[in-house]
Amino acid sequence: MADLRADQLQSKDFWIVIALMVIVPIAGELNFHPFDNVFRVSFGTPIFFFSLLFFRKISPVVMGLLVGTSVSAFRVLLDWMVSADFSLAVSLTERYPTFFYYFTYALLFYLMRVNRFQHPLLIGCFGITIEITSSLIELMLFHLFVLGTAVTIGALNKIIIIAVFRSFFVLAFINMMKLYELRLKESQTRRENENMLMHLSNLYVESVYLKKTLQNAETITKESYNLYRNMIDFKKDQGLPIENWGKKALRIAGEVHEIKKDNQRIFAGLSRLISSESLPEYMNVHELAYIIVRINQKYAALLGKKIEFVSQIRGEHPNYHIYLMLSFINNLVANAVEAIENTGTITVSIDKEENWIECKVIDDGPGVPSKYKHLIFKPGFTSKYGEDGTPSTGIGLSYIKEMSEELGGEVTLQTSGKGCIFIIRLPILCLAEKG
């Protein structure tokens, strides 16, 4: 597998170099002459500099040799195509300094280890130095063997101006790419955190039920053991032998105790999982509403429904406990998504009224039949069935009711015409970040 991956990388690098051997010569012909017919500013050098910075796994020296050869050969080919009295010797004499320009550029890039540095200004200074040196070598060769003259101070000044322009043009482009990559990573991290928050919120709900089960198991264990003790005392008082059903009561107590210990281990694991994630425990209400809307937009799209989501937040809110808020509101919004048949609107409204927070989830779905209104919060009750006829668990609304009452709040259902309005009122003290 490692050899195959290495072969794939080598093949990819090969085609990258081939592409550069085609692109750089063509880009070099897209040029202008800001000073005279000797100095040309083209896109060939910026593309080459960018390639040296971006394709770090390819040897700069090899890239300089191949690209320099291809640029020189391409210009000789152009001379042959456009010149009526083409001379190969003359064309090679005029074009071979270009080869030394690209080769020197790549060699200096390699010797200075430019790719070790990350600071844009430092890379820009290296680029300017390399550009000036390479241009000087190219110009000296051109003046010496073609023009037969020396390089002047004025020519050097022009080289410096062009070097600054081209090097920082490349840096600006690279910084734009890095900024785009950072935004992509930020967006991806935000989506991952949203999904993680929803998973942890669901785990939080399960841990609440598991904790309740632990309490029930503890109660049953005590009752079973007390029943066994009462049986023993009763038999002793009556002078009767202890029968098997007394021992069965003791065995039941022991088995329930084992169930309790298993549940305790599961509860401890869930608690560690929830607390170990490097995510904040409290969040701004606007961000919470945004997460709920985004997650349920995806859920609605998954179900093939076109639902418009509206969030309304009024009042100055503190940061709220993420998992409690998500487990309350998201449960209601997901129910509303499931209730709407094809198209509709769901409004999430969060208001602050003195020491209370009031959350409303309003939908324009079919609503709840009047015969079910008194059953809607009962554990196990459901009116939702899967495509195969399997009923829903029916614990979502009962969880919301039980938890809101445990926190000193309430949840109510209002119906008026089409749709439902679920209202949760909770004391802010039980949800807000302390301090």
Side-chain angles (χ1 to χ4, degrees):
M1 182 64 72
D3 293 339
L4 178 61
R5 192 178 293 109
D7 292 341
Q8 289 174 342
L9 288 174
Q10 290 175 359
S11 176
K12 182 180 178 182
D13 294 344
F14 171 78
W15 288 110
I16 288 172
V17 173
I18 294 297
L20 288 173
M21 290 174 66
V22 175
I23 294 170
V24 174
I26 295 174
E29 298 308 311
L30 302 173
N31 59 78
F32 62 96
H33 298 77
F35 304 113
D36 50 47
N37 290 329
V38 176
F39 293 97
R40 54 190 279 161
V41 179
S42 70
F43 291 99
T45 300
I47 291 175
F48 185 62
F49 186 31
F50 172 78
S51 302
L52 290 172
L53 290 169
F54 194 76
F55 302 114
R56 297 169 178 258
K57 295 181 180 179
I58 303 175
S59 169
V61 178
V62 172
M63 197 183 297
L65 279 169
L66 295 175
V67 171
T69 302
S70 69
V71 172
S72 299
F74 183 75
R75 292 183 182 177
V76 170
L77 179 62
L78 285 179
D79 290 342
W80 174 71
M81 293 175 64
V82 301
S83 179
D85 54 344
F86 172 75
S87 170
L88 181 61
V90 173
S91 181
L92 286 174
T93 302
E94 292 180 350
R95 301 306 181 187
Y96 85 92
T98 303
F99 165 80
F100 283 99
Y101 169 80
Y102 282 99
F103 178 69
T104 304
Y105 199 108
L107 182 63
L108 291 173
F109 185 93
Y110 170 74
L111 293 175
M112 292 181 177
R113 299 289 192 270
V114 179
N115 270 334
R116 292 184 306 172
F117 303 96
Q118 298 293 329
H119 197 284
L121 186 59
L122 193 59
I123 295 174
C125 292
F126 277 119
I128 292 171
T129 305
I130 293 171
E131 169 87 10
I132 293 172
T133 307
S134 304
S135 296
L136 271 175
I137 290 175
E138 180 187 18
L139 198 60
M140 287 171 62
L141 291 173
F142 187 78
H143 274 263
L144 182 64
F145 293 101
V146 178
L147 300 179
T149 59
V151 179
T152 64
I153 297 297
L156 179 60
N157 291 334
K158 294 171 185 176
I159 288 174
I160 293 173
I161 294 172
I162 294 172
V164 172
F165 171 77
R166 288 203 287 208
S167 296
F168 281 96
F169 173 79
V170 173
L171 284 179
F173 185 72
I174 289 176
N175 286 334
M176 286 174 62
M177 285 193 61
K178 287 184 176 180
L179 180 61
Y180 179 70
E181 288 178 359
L182 285 174
R183 287 182 177 177
L184 282 180
K185 288 180 180 178
E186 182 183 355
S187 176
Q188 182 180 0
T189 302
R190 186 186 299 113
R191 287 195 298 268
E192 290 174 354
N193 285 344
E194 288 172 5
N195 291 331
M196 182 65 72
L197 285 173
M198 295 310 303
H199 291 314
L200 290 178
S201 175
N202 292 333
L203 288 177
Y204 183 84
V205 174
E206 298 302 325
S207 69
V208 170
Y209 274 104
L210 189 56
K211 187 175 182 180
K212 181 183 176 183
T213 303
L214 285 173
Q215 295 171 347
N216 292 341
E218 178 70 21
T219 302
I220 294 172
T221 302
K222 289 180 180 178
E223 292 296 329
S224 298
Y225 185 73
N226 289 335
L227 178 61
Y228 166 74
R229 296 287 302 178
N230 291 336
M231 290 178 182
I232 296 297
D233 294 339
F234 177 76
K235 292 295 182 180
K236 286 181 179 179
D237 292 343
Q238 299 296 323
L240 299 173
I242 301 174
E243 298 179 0
N244 290 335
W245 48 273
K247 295 179 180 179
K248 287 181 180 179
L250 181 62
R251 191 179 303 115
I252 290 171
E255 290 174 354
V256 173
H257 184 65
E258 288 299 316
I259 293 173
K260 175 194 169 187
K261 288 196 295 183
D262 291 338
N263 284 345
Q264 281 178 327
R265 284 191 288 270
I266 298 171
F267 180 75
L270 278 176
S271 300
R272 282 196 300 270
L273 180 62
I274 294 171
S275 60
S276 65
E277 295 297 332
S278 57
L279 293 171
E281 191 174 354
Y282 294 87
M283 185 178 286
N284 181 280
V285 67
H286 294 276
E287 294 178 0
L288 281 168
Y290 173 76
I291 290 174
I292 291 169
V293 168
R294 272 184 55 86
I295 292 297
N296 285 282
Q297 282 175 337
K298 295 178 183 178
Y299 186 39
L302 180 66
L303 298 178
K305 300 179 179 182
K306 295 182 180 180
I307 299 176
E308 180 185 358
F309 291 86
V310 179
S311 62
Q312 299 174 347
I313 299 173
R314 287 181 284 271
E316 295 294 328
H317 294 263
N319 288 347
Y320 291 124
H321 192 274
I322 295 173
Y323 309 126
L324 275 174
M325 289 290 287
L326 288 180
S327 60
F328 280 136
I329 304 176
N330 188 67
N331 214 320
L332 292 177
V333 177
N335 282 347
V337 170
E338 294 167 358
I340 293 174
E341 294 180 356
N342 293 309
T343 61
T345 302
I346 297 175
T347 301
V348 179
S349 172
I350 303 176
D351 297 340
K352 181 176 180 291
E353 300 177 357
E354 295 183 354
N355 297 324
W356 292 82
I357 177 175
E358 183 176 273
C359 306
K360 294 182 181 178
V361 176
I362 307 166
D363 69 77
D364 56 359
V368 177
S370 56
K371 61 180 179 179
Y372 291 148
K373 286 182 182 178
H374 67 289
L375 299 172
I376 197 73
F377 294 108
K378 297 291 184 183
F381 172 80
T382 182
S383 59
K384 295 183 292 185
Y385 294 85
E387 294 180 356
D388 58 354
T390 304
S392 173
T393 57
I395 63 173
L397 291 176
S398 63
Y399 162 79
I400 293 173
K401 181 177 177 59
E402 183 177 332
M403 284 300 299
S404 61
E405 291 176 352
E406 187 174 318
L407 294 173
E410 62 176 0
V411 56
T412 56
L413 167 64
Q414 294 181 3
T415 56
S416 57
K418 190 178 181 182
C420 294
I421 303 175
F422 282 94
I423 304 173
I424 304 176
R425 280 179 56 84
L426 296 168
I428 289 180
L429 187 63
C430 69
L431 295 172
E433 185 175 13
K434 304 299 185 292

mmCIF file of all heavy atoms in Angstrom, residues 44-75:
data_model
loop_
_atom_site.group_PDB
_atom_site.id
_atom_site.type_symbol
_atom_site.label_atom_id
_atom_site.label_comp_id
_atom_site.label_asym_id
_atom_site.label_seq_id
_atom_site.Cartn_x
_atom_site.Cartn_y
_atom_site.Cartn_z
ATOM 1 N N GLY A 44 4.947 34.555 -16.540
ATOM 2 C CA GLY A 44 5.718 33.318 -16.410
ATOM 3 C C GLY A 44 6.418 33.209 -15.071
ATOM 4 O O GLY A 44 6.347 32.179 -14.389
ATOM 5 N N THR A 45 7.114 34.283 -14.669
ATOM 6 C CA THR A 45 7.852 34.251 -13.401
ATOM 7 C C THR A 45 6.936 34.142 -12.183
ATOM 8 O O THR A 45 7.200 33.339 -11.281
ATOM 9 C CB THR A 45 8.745 35.509 -13.275
ATOM 10 O OG1 THR A 45 9.666 35.522 -14.359
ATOM 11 C CG2 THR A 45 9.511 35.499 -11.965
ATOM 12 N N PRO A 46 5.837 34.916 -12.094
ATOM 13 C CA PRO A 46 4.940 34.726 -10.940
ATOM 14 C C PRO A 46 4.399 33.298 -10.827
ATOM 15 O O PRO A 46 4.326 32.753 -9.724
ATOM 16 C CB PRO A 46 3.806 35.727 -11.209
ATOM 17 C CG PRO A 46 4.430 36.784 -12.031
ATOM 18 C CD PRO A 46 5.424 36.079 -12.901
ATOM 19 N N ILE A 47 4.049 32.693 -11.964
ATOM 20 C CA ILE A 47 3.541 31.318 -11.928
ATOM 21 C C ILE A 47 4.644 30.367 -11.467
ATOM 22 O O ILE A 47 4.405 29.444 -10.675
ATOM 23 C CB ILE A 47 2.994 30.907 -13.306
ATOM 24 C CG1 ILE A 47 1.718 31.695 -13.610
ATOM 25 C CG2 ILE A 47 2.722 29.416 -13.368
ATOM 26 C CD1 ILE A 47 1.148 31.452 -14.989
ATOM 27 N N PHE A 48 5.875 30.597 -11.936
ATOM 28 C CA PHE A 48 6.996 29.739 -11.548
ATOM 29 C C PHE A 48 7.293 29.894 -10.053
ATOM 30 O O PHE A 48 7.502 28.900 -9.342
ATOM 31 C CB PHE A 48 8.230 30.109 -12.382
ATOM 32 C CG PHE A 48 9.404 29.204 -12.156
ATOM 33 C CD1 PHE A 48 9.329 27.856 -12.460
ATOM 34 C CD2 PHE A 48 10.598 29.715 -11.649
ATOM 35 C CE1 PHE A 48 10.427 27.017 -12.250
ATOM 36 C CE2 PHE A 48 11.683 28.888 -11.439
ATOM 37 C CZ PHE A 48 11.596 27.535 -11.739
ATOM 38 N N PHE A 49 7.321 31.120 -9.548
ATOM 39 C CA PHE A 49 7.557 31.371 -8.124
ATOM 40 C C PHE A 49 6.463 30.732 -7.276
ATOM 41 O O PHE A 49 6.728 30.089 -6.256
ATOM 42 C CB PHE A 49 7.628 32.877 -7.893
ATOM 43 C CG PHE A 49 8.004 33.277 -6.488
ATOM 44 C CD1 PHE A 49 8.835 32.495 -5.711
ATOM 45 C CD2 PHE A 49 7.520 34.459 -5.938
ATOM 46 C CE1 PHE A 49 9.188 32.871 -4.420
ATOM 47 C CE2 PHE A 49 7.852 34.839 -4.652
ATOM 48 C CZ PHE A 49 8.684 34.041 -3.897
ATOM 49 N N PHE A 50 5.223 30.891 -7.720
ATOM 50 C CA PHE A 50 4.106 30.283 -6.999
ATOM 51 C C PHE A 50 4.244 28.762 -6.972
ATOM 52 O O PHE A 50 3.984 28.114 -5.952
ATOM 53 C CB PHE A 50 2.788 30.683 -7.671
ATOM 54 C CG PHE A 50 1.584 29.969 -7.119
ATOM 55 C CD1 PHE A 50 1.020 30.357 -5.931
ATOM 56 C CD2 PHE A 50 1.032 28.890 -7.792
ATOM 57 C CE1 PHE A 50 -0.082 29.703 -5.409
ATOM 58 C CE2 PHE A 50 -0.061 28.227 -7.294
ATOM 59 C CZ PHE A 50 -0.622 28.628 -6.097
ATOM 60 N N SER A 51 4.662 28.163 -8.084
ATOM 61 C CA SER A 51 4.818 26.710 -8.159
ATOM 62 C C SER A 51 5.903 26.223 -7.213
ATOM 63 O O SER A 51 5.758 25.177 -6.559
ATOM 64 C CB SER A 51 5.153 26.286 -9.592
ATOM 65 O OG SER A 51 4.146 26.712 -10.482
ATOM 66 N N LEU A 52 7.006 26.976 -7.124
ATOM 67 C CA LEU A 52 8.081 26.591 -6.197
ATOM 68 C C LEU A 52 7.601 26.634 -4.747
ATOM 69 O O LEU A 52 7.978 25.790 -3.921
ATOM 70 C CB LEU A 52 9.272 27.536 -6.374
ATOM 71 C CG LEU A 52 10.057 27.411 -7.692
ATOM 72 C CD1 LEU A 52 11.078 28.540 -7.794
ATOM 73 C CD2 LEU A 52 10.740 26.063 -7.800
ATOM 74 N N LEU A 53 6.758 27.611 -4.427
ATOM 75 C CA LEU A 53 6.235 27.723 -3.061
ATOM 76 C C LEU A 53 5.175 26.685 -2.759
ATOM 77 O O LEU A 53 5.097 26.165 -1.635
ATOM 78 C CB LEU A 53 5.650 29.125 -2.850
ATOM 79 C CG LEU A 53 6.628 30.290 -2.781
ATOM 80 C CD1 LEU A 53 5.889 31.616 -2.844
ATOM 81 C CD2 LEU A 53 7.474 30.216 -1.520
ATOM 82 N N PHE A 54 4.362 26.365 -3.750
ATOM 83 C CA PHE A 54 3.183 25.517 -3.511
ATOM 84 C C PHE A 54 3.512 24.026 -3.624
ATOM 85 O O PHE A 54 3.078 23.237 -2.783
ATOM 86 C CB PHE A 54 2.091 25.893 -4.509
ATOM 87 C CG PHE A 54 0.743 25.331 -4.164
ATOM 88 C CD1 PHE A 54 -0.018 25.892 -3.145
ATOM 89 C CD2 PHE A 54 0.234 24.241 -4.846
ATOM 90 C CE1 PHE A 54 -1.247 25.372 -2.814
ATOM 91 C CE2 PHE A 54 -1.003 23.718 -4.522
ATOM 92 C CZ PHE A 54 -1.744 24.281 -3.505
ATOM 93 N N PHE A 55 4.273 23.627 -4.627
ATOM 94 C CA PHE A 55 4.583 22.208 -4.833
ATOM 95 C C PHE A 55 5.902 21.880 -4.145
ATOM 96 O O PHE A 55 6.964 21.794 -4.763
ATOM 97 C CB PHE A 55 4.645 21.879 -6.329
ATOM 98 C CG PHE A 55 3.379 22.184 -7.066
ATOM 99 C CD1 PHE A 55 3.336 23.186 -8.028
ATOM 100 C CD2 PHE A 55 2.210 21.491 -6.786
ATOM 101 C CE1 PHE A 55 2.158 23.467 -8.698
ATOM 102 C CE2 PHE A 55 1.029 21.774 -7.442
ATOM 103 C CZ PHE A 55 0.997 22.770 -8.400
ATOM 104 N N ARG A 56 5.839 21.697 -2.843
ATOM 105 C CA ARG A 56 7.030 21.539 -2.019
ATOM 106 C C ARG A 56 7.724 20.201 -2.205
ATOM 107 O O ARG A 56 8.908 20.063 -1.881
ATOM 108 C CB ARG A 56 6.666 21.724 -0.546
ATOM 109 C CG ARG A 56 6.154 23.121 -0.219
ATOM 110 C CD ARG A 56 5.561 23.183 1.173
ATOM 111 N NE ARG A 56 5.122 24.533 1.490
ATOM 112 C CZ ARG A 56 5.803 25.378 2.264
ATOM 113 N NH1 ARG A 56 6.940 25.005 2.799
ATOM 114 N NH2 ARG A 56 5.355 26.591 2.500
ATOM 115 N N LYS A 57 6.997 19.187 -2.686
ATOM 116 C CA LYS A 57 7.578 17.851 -2.797
ATOM 117 C C LYS A 57 8.428 17.677 -4.061
ATOM 118 O O LYS A 57 9.133 16.692 -4.200
ATOM 119 C CB LYS A 57 6.471 16.798 -2.770
ATOM 120 C CG LYS A 57 5.733 16.742 -1.442
ATOM 121 C CD LYS A 57 4.662 15.665 -1.441
ATOM 122 C CE LYS A 57 3.930 15.623 -0.109
ATOM 123 N NZ LYS A 57 2.864 14.599 -0.089
ATOM 124 N N ILE A 58 8.326 18.622 -4.987
ATOM 125 C CA ILE A 58 9.090 18.543 -6.224
ATOM 126 C C ILE A 58 10.385 19.333 -6.047
ATOM 127 O O ILE A 58 10.378 20.448 -5.540
ATOM 128 C CB ILE A 58 8.284 19.112 -7.412
ATOM 129 C CG1 ILE A 58 6.946 18.373 -7.545
ATOM 130 C CG2 ILE A 58 9.072 18.999 -8.704
ATOM 131 C CD1 ILE A 58 6.032 18.937 -8.610
ATOM 132 N N SER A 59 11.502 18.755 -6.477
ATOM 133 C CA SER A 59 12.803 19.419 -6.345
ATOM 134 C C SER A 59 12.818 20.728 -7.130
ATOM 135 O O SER A 59 12.557 20.731 -8.345
ATOM 136 C CB SER A 59 13.904 18.493 -6.854
ATOM 137 O OG SER A 59 15.124 19.199 -6.966
ATOM 138 N N PRO A 60 13.146 21.851 -6.490
ATOM 139 C CA PRO A 60 13.203 23.127 -7.215
ATOM 140 C C PRO A 60 14.231 23.121 -8.344
ATOM 141 O O PRO A 60 14.007 23.715 -9.395
ATOM 142 C CB PRO A 60 13.586 24.124 -6.119
ATOM 143 C CG PRO A 60 13.176 23.491 -4.840
ATOM 144 C CD PRO A 60 13.371 22.023 -5.047
ATOM 145 N N VAL A 61 15.374 22.421 -8.127
ATOM 146 C CA VAL A 61 16.426 22.400 -9.138
ATOM 147 C C VAL A 61 15.941 21.678 -10.393
ATOM 148 O O VAL A 61 16.135 22.143 -11.525
ATOM 149 C CB VAL A 61 17.697 21.723 -8.583
ATOM 150 C CG1 VAL A 61 18.778 21.651 -9.658
ATOM 151 C CG2 VAL A 61 18.217 22.494 -7.366
ATOM 152 N N VAL A 62 15.280 20.520 -10.186
ATOM 153 C CA VAL A 62 14.729 19.778 -11.322
ATOM 154 C C VAL A 62 13.688 20.621 -12.044
ATOM 155 O O VAL A 62 13.654 20.685 -13.287
ATOM 156 C CB VAL A 62 14.116 18.440 -10.842
ATOM 157 C CG1 VAL A 62 13.371 17.745 -11.992
ATOM 158 C CG2 VAL A 62 15.206 17.534 -10.292
ATOM 159 N N MET A 63 12.840 21.290 -11.283
ATOM 160 C CA MET A 63 11.811 22.126 -11.880
ATOM 161 C C MET A 63 12.441 23.268 -12.677
ATOM 162 O O MET A 63 11.988 23.602 -13.778
ATOM 163 C CB MET A 63 10.890 22.682 -10.782
ATOM 164 C CG MET A 63 9.561 23.217 -11.303
ATOM 165 S SD MET A 63 8.536 23.944 -9.991
ATOM 166 C CE MET A 63 8.254 22.535 -8.943
ATOM 167 N N GLY A 64 13.521 23.867 -12.138
ATOM 168 C CA GLY A 64 14.190 24.946 -12.842
ATOM 169 C C GLY A 64 14.830 24.485 -14.141
ATOM 170 O O GLY A 64 14.758 25.180 -15.170
ATOM 171 N N LEU A 65 15.471 23.306 -14.114
ATOM 172 C CA LEU A 65 16.087 22.759 -15.330
ATOM 173 C C LEU A 65 15.049 22.528 -16.428
ATOM 174 O O LEU A 65 15.233 22.958 -17.576
ATOM 175 C CB LEU A 65 16.801 21.447 -15.001
ATOM 176 C CG LEU A 65 18.206 21.546 -14.390
ATOM 177 C CD1 LEU A 65 18.653 20.182 -13.887
ATOM 178 C CD2 LEU A 65 19.193 22.072 -15.427
ATOM 179 N N LEU A 66 13.958 21.860 -16.059
ATOM 180 C CA LEU A 66 12.967 21.480 -17.064
ATOM 181 C C LEU A 66 12.184 22.696 -17.567
ATOM 182 O O LEU A 66 11.945 22.836 -18.771
ATOM 183 C CB LEU A 66 12.012 20.440 -16.479
ATOM 184 C CG LEU A 66 12.670 19.096 -16.119
ATOM 185 C CD1 LEU A 66 11.669 18.169 -15.439
ATOM 186 C CD2 LEU A 66 13.234 18.423 -17.358
ATOM 187 N N VAL A 67 11.761 23.555 -16.651
ATOM 188 C CA VAL A 67 10.982 24.726 -17.065
ATOM 189 C C VAL A 67 11.859 25.693 -17.865
ATOM 190 O O VAL A 67 11.424 26.254 -18.888
ATOM 191 C CB VAL A 67 10.363 25.433 -15.832
ATOM 192 C CG1 VAL A 67 9.741 26.767 -16.237
ATOM 193 C CG2 VAL A 67 9.312 24.537 -15.190
ATOM 194 N N GLY A 68 13.113 25.899 -17.425
ATOM 195 C CA GLY A 68 14.016 26.770 -18.178
ATOM 196 C C GLY A 68 14.256 26.261 -19.587
ATOM 197 O O GLY A 68 14.262 27.040 -20.560
ATOM 198 N N THR A 69 14.424 24.947 -19.722
ATOM 199 C CA THR A 69 14.611 24.351 -21.047
ATOM 200 C C THR A 69 13.370 24.539 -21.910
ATOM 201 O O THR A 69 13.464 24.889 -23.101
ATOM 202 C CB THR A 69 14.936 22.848 -20.909
ATOM 203 O OG1 THR A 69 16.115 22.691 -20.107
ATOM 204 C CG2 THR A 69 15.165 22.225 -22.280
ATOM 205 N N SER A 70 12.187 24.308 -21.305
ATOM 206 C CA SER A 70 10.950 24.402 -22.089
ATOM 207 C C SER A 70 10.674 25.846 -22.528
ATOM 208 O O SER A 70 10.229 26.084 -23.650
ATOM 209 C CB SER A 70 9.770 23.864 -21.275
ATOM 210 O OG SER A 70 9.468 24.727 -20.182
ATOM 211 N N VAL A 71 10.980 26.824 -21.670
ATOM 212 C CA VAL A 71 10.747 28.230 -22.032
ATOM 213 C C VAL A 71 11.681 28.642 -23.170
ATOM 214 O O VAL A 71 11.258 29.273 -24.151
ATOM 215 C CB VAL A 71 10.949 29.153 -20.804
ATOM 216 C CG1 VAL A 71 10.891 30.620 -21.232
ATOM 217 C CG2 VAL A 71 9.891 28.877 -19.753
ATOM 218 N N SER A 72 12.963 28.263 -23.062
ATOM 219 C CA SER A 72 13.925 28.613 -24.116
ATOM 220 C C SER A 72 13.538 27.956 -25.433
ATOM 221 O O SER A 72 13.564 28.596 -26.497
ATOM 222 C CB SER A 72 15.331 28.171 -23.696
ATOM 223 O OG SER A 72 15.730 28.826 -22.508
ATOM 224 N N ALA A 73 13.169 26.662 -25.363
ATOM 225 C CA ALA A 73 12.784 25.944 -26.585
ATOM 226 C C ALA A 73 11.519 26.542 -27.194
ATOM 227 O O ALA A 73 11.398 26.642 -28.434
ATOM 228 C CB ALA A 73 12.572 24.469 -26.256
ATOM 229 N N PHE A 74 10.595 26.946 -26.372
ATOM 230 C CA PHE A 74 9.341 27.521 -26.869
ATOM 231 C C PHE A 74 9.610 28.844 -27.602
ATOM 232 O O PHE A 74 9.020 29.120 -28.659
ATOM 233 C CB PHE A 74 8.389 27.746 -25.689
ATOM 234 C CG PHE A 74 7.042 28.270 -26.076
ATOM 235 C CD1 PHE A 74 6.095 27.450 -26.671
ATOM 236 C CD2 PHE A 74 6.710 29.606 -25.859
ATOM 237 C CE1 PHE A 74 4.843 27.933 -27.022
ATOM 238 C CE2 PHE A 74 5.464 30.101 -26.210
ATOM 239 C CZ PHE A 74 4.525 29.262 -26.801
ATOM 240 N N ARG A 75 10.514 29.656 -27.079
ATOM 241 C CA ARG A 75 10.808 30.933 -27.719
ATOM 242 C C ARG A 75 11.596 30.743 -29.020
ATOM 243 O O ARG A 75 11.404 31.508 -29.980
ATOM 244 C CB ARG A 75 11.570 31.837 -26.744
ATOM 245 C CG ARG A 75 10.687 32.266 -25.573
ATOM 246 C CD ARG A 75 11.375 33.209 -24.618
ATOM 247 N NE ARG A 75 10.483 33.541 -23.505
ATOM 248 C CZ ARG A 75 10.820 34.300 -22.467
ATOM 249 N NH1 ARG A 75 12.049 34.807 -22.394
ATOM 250 N NH2 ARG A 75 9.945 34.549 -21.501
#
